[in-house]
């Protein structure tokens, strides 16, 4: 299936590993020129090289912390007018809300709410002028089904979701869509990080925690990042222009609601 986005330019944030990397990979397979961002240079360069070798697509790397104004400025200097924007950043630390200070909350809101909003603010009007834009925010299934130890994530991402719900209805008439992709448990470093905390709190081994988490997934397995990348590429496709303001859950069937 031709997604109709060959030759488009994409910024994919936090993309040297995991879900962001899978989105960059799949967009490059569709012929999209990709700007990849992460803080660690070595892993980022290796990931970009692998994508170039596989797809022959133009890939640019920016070593930056996307949650800082300087980091975002560095990204936008390289690609001021993307057709596609995939926002992403590391998730906040897990824990008990009694441990979290105001600074912890500010950091979570900065990374998982204000960073995507700032990137949207910097790019959406130029997308509207060109009458094409696809914005995908990587959030979390925790937005629909809160995870107890991820209160910082539950809270900050809900703020972004509320903002996007309003803006996405204003941009769609200009063929600029904004949607959120909500990952459930995907086999990435982040999943291990939350399992480590659960193991610490419960006195169980990490293996036992991971086995229990997997058993709770109706699909009987964790998600593969490539599956996430393919969903992202679909939302970025030319044919997805009638879909905006949606929260697409990718969780192997965990969310139990009818709607
Ligand atoms: P991951 O495998 O740990 O990868 C995180 C990626 O983001 C790495 O490339 C990392 O590179 C980059 N990154 C982190 N902070 C950054 C920053 N401030 N600036 C630039 N790049 C940054 O994580 P993941 O599983 O892909 O998760 C992606 C997002 O989805 C996170 O917000 C996570 O909370 C959320 N999520 C994941 C799951 C899951 O099961 N995997 C479930 C729900 C929600 P550097 O460290 O080198 O910067």
């Amino acid at each position: 299936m031709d997604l109709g986005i060959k030759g488009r330019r994409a910024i994919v944030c936090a993309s040297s590993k995991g879900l962001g990397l899978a989105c960059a990979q799949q967009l490059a397979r569709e012929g999209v020129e990709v700007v990849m961002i992460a803080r660690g240079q070595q892993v980022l360069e290796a990931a970009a090289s692998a994508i170039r070798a596989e797809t022959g697509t133009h890939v640019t790397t920016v070593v930056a912390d996307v949650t800082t104004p300087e980091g975002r400025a560095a990204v936008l200097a390289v690609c001021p007018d993307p057709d596609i924007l995939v926002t992403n950043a590391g998730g906040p630390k897990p824990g008990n809300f009694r441990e979290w200070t105001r600074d912890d909350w500010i950091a979570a809101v900065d990374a998982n709410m204000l960073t995507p909003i700032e990137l949207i603010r910097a790019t959406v009007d130029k997308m509207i002028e060109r009458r094409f834009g696809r914005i995908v925010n990587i959030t979390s299934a925790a937005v629909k089904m809160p995870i107890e130890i991820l209160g910082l994530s539950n809270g900050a991402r809900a703020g972004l979701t509320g903002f996007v719900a309003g803006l996405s209805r204003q941009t769609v008439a200009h063929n600029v869509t904004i949607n959120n992709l909500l990952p459930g448990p995907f086999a990435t470093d982040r999943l291990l990080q939350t399992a480590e905390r659960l193991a610490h709190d419960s006195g169980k081994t990490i293996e036992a925690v991971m086995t229990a988490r997997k058993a709770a997934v109706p699909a009987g397995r964790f998600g593969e990042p490539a599956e996430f990348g393919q969903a992202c590429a679909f939302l970025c496709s030319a044919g997805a222009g009638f879909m905006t303001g949606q929260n697409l859950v990718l969780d192997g069937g965990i969310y139990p609601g009818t709607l």
Side-chain angles (χ1 to χ4, degrees):
M1 182 177 166
D2 179 5
L3 297 186
I5 47 177
K6 194 170 182 342
R8 296 283 185 193
R9 283 157 306 172
I11 291 176
V12 185
C13 300
S15 51
S16 65
K17 290 195 285 182
L19 306 180
L21 171 59
C23 295
Q25 264 167 342
Q26 193 59 37
L27 288 170
R29 285 175 188 143
E30 300 299 332
V32 174
E33 292 181 14
V34 179
V35 178
M36 296 172 67
I37 303 132
R39 295 163 302 180
Q41 183 163 20
Q42 215 177 344
V43 178
L44 179 64
E45 295 301 347
S49 296
I51 293 179
R52 286 187 202 108
E54 182 202 332
T55 65
T57 307
H58 192 264
V59 179
T60 309
T61 55
V62 180
V63 178
D65 181 340
V66 77
T67 67
T68 65
E70 301 75 28
R72 291 190 290 276
V75 175
L76 293 165
V78 166
C79 185
D81 52 359
D83 304 299
I84 294 168
L85 169 66
V86 180
T87 76
N88 186 26
K93 62 181 179 183
N96 182 315
F97 90 95
R98 292 168 188 83
E99 301 164 1
W100 299 327
T101 63
R102 184 173 190 281
D103 285 347
D104 292 325
W105 275 104
I106 298 295
V109 168
D110 240 347
N112 299 113
M113 178 183 171
L114 299 180
T115 289
I117 291 173
E118 283 290 287
L119 288 168
I120 292 169
R121 184 163 75 103
T123 55
V124 75
D125 287 334
K126 287 180 227 153
M127 291 179 181
I128 288 172
E129 274 171 30
R130 293 195 306 277
R131 294 196 64 80
F132 182 89
R134 298 285 182 266
I135 299 173
V136 176
N137 303 300
I138 300 180
T139 66
S140 173
V143 171
K144 286 194 81 149
M145 220 173 117
I147 299 170
E148 201 178 321
I149 60 163
L150 291 179
L152 290 169
S153 172
N154 302 339
R157 295 187 201 278
L160 174 65
T161 306
F163 168 74
V164 164
L167 182 64
S168 58
R169 271 83 188 181
Q170 299 167 48
T171 61
V172 67
H174 309 281
N175 193 23
V176 177
T177 66
I178 314 178
N179 292 288
N180 305 314
L181 267 182
L182 283 55
F186 276 80
T188 69
D189 289 358
R190 171 69 176 174
L191 191 68
L192 206 55
Q193 190 193 350
T194 51
E196 279 165 4
R197 175 68 199 217
L198 282 169
H200 171 268
D201 289 355
S202 63
K204 294 180 183 155
T205 63
I206 294 174
E207 291 71 31
V209 169
M210 291 291 265
T211 303
R213 281 207 76 180
K214 197 181 285 187
V217 184
R221 62 180 177 86
F222 296 131
E224 290 298 330
E227 296 173 303
F228 193 90
Q230 286 171 19
C232 177
F234 166 73
L235 288 178
C236 296
S237 68
F242 205 54
M243 184 171 176
T244 200
Q246 299 304 302
N247 290 283
L248 195 63
V249 181
L250 298 176
D251 70 350
I254 295 174
Y255 179 69
T258 304
L259 294 173

